[in-house]
Amino acid sequence: MKNSVGLKLTISLAIIVALGPAAIDMYLASMPNMAQDLNTSYASTQITLTVFLIFMGVGQLFFGPFSDAIGRKIPLLLGLVTYIVASIWAACALNLESLIFARALQGIGASMAIVVVMSMVRDITEGAVAAQLYALLNTIVALGPIVAPAIGGVIGAHYGWRGVMVA
């Protein structure tokens, strides 16, 4: 498999690597409604973004070596399950504190999944194929801040900020 990567695998890796940008940018348009619903200020809801970014960044320092030591499958599945559970928790949050904890957990899950995906590229490809796959995945990460707010805005308009967290 070092000379080529299947379409299904490429799509799977692309979806997983999009978790970070999606969780960062999709709910930005819904933050005023979130603040109103949680009876807090708009400035306070911005903490949820900061917390996510901190935990996503710090998590990468630990999960790279962790996945190198025990393999890719368990950390990937653990990261995805953590991300999904945290997203549901965030959607159900009744106060800002609960939402902040959910976003921290979501950042941890996203960092674990993203680190494993980038490590998998190294494991399954080499040379030009690896460069192409890294370029594709980095393009998705770069497009996230452009596309995710628009998608989040549409979802938020129809289903509210909780719907964005579920999505």
Side-chain angles (χ1 to χ4, degrees):
M1 187 174 247
K2 294 259 184 192
N3 295 327
S4 67
V5 177
L7 182 61
K8 288 180 184 179
L9 180 61
T10 301
I11 291 170
S12 298
L13 297 176
I15 290 169
I16 294 168
V17 85
L19 293 177
I24 294 168
D25 298 307
M26 276 185 73
Y27 81 114
L28 296 179
S30 299
M31 285 181 98
N33 294 337
M34 181 186 300
Q36 183 179 11
D37 192 36
L38 297 175
N39 295 317
T40 191
S41 68
Y42 178 76
S44 295
T45 60
Q46 292 175 336
I47 294 169
T48 63
L49 179 60
T50 304
V51 165
F52 178 86
L53 289 169
I54 289 169
F55 279 85
M56 190 171 111
V58 171
Q60 292 180 38
L61 297 173
F62 299 100
F63 298 130
F66 178 67
S67 72
D68 288 341
I70 70 163
R72 308 291 185 228
K73 186 176 181 179
I74 292 171
L76 178 61
L77 293 175
L78 186 60
L80 291 173
V81 168
T82 301
Y83 185 86
I84 291 166
V85 168
S87 297
I88 294 167
W89 179 5
C92 297
L94 298 177
N95 56 50
L96 182 63
E97 293 78 15
S98 181
L99 182 59
I100 289 170
F101 284 118
R103 293 289 288 166
L105 190 60
Q106 196 178 38
I108 290 169
S111 71
M112 193 179 310
I114 291 167
V115 163
V116 171
V117 165
M118 292 305 193
S119 297
M120 286 174 66
V121 172
R122 182 189 64 214
D123 295 344
I124 62 173
T125 62
E126 59 187 23
V129 174
Q132 290 172 342
L133 190 51
Y134 277 126
L136 173 68
L137 297 177
N138 285 321
T139 300
I140 291 167
V141 170
L143 287 175
I146 298 166
V147 177
I151 294 170
V154 170
I155 294 169
H158 289 86
Y159 302 103
W161 69 269
R162 295 178 190 280
V164 174
M165 290 295 173
V166 170

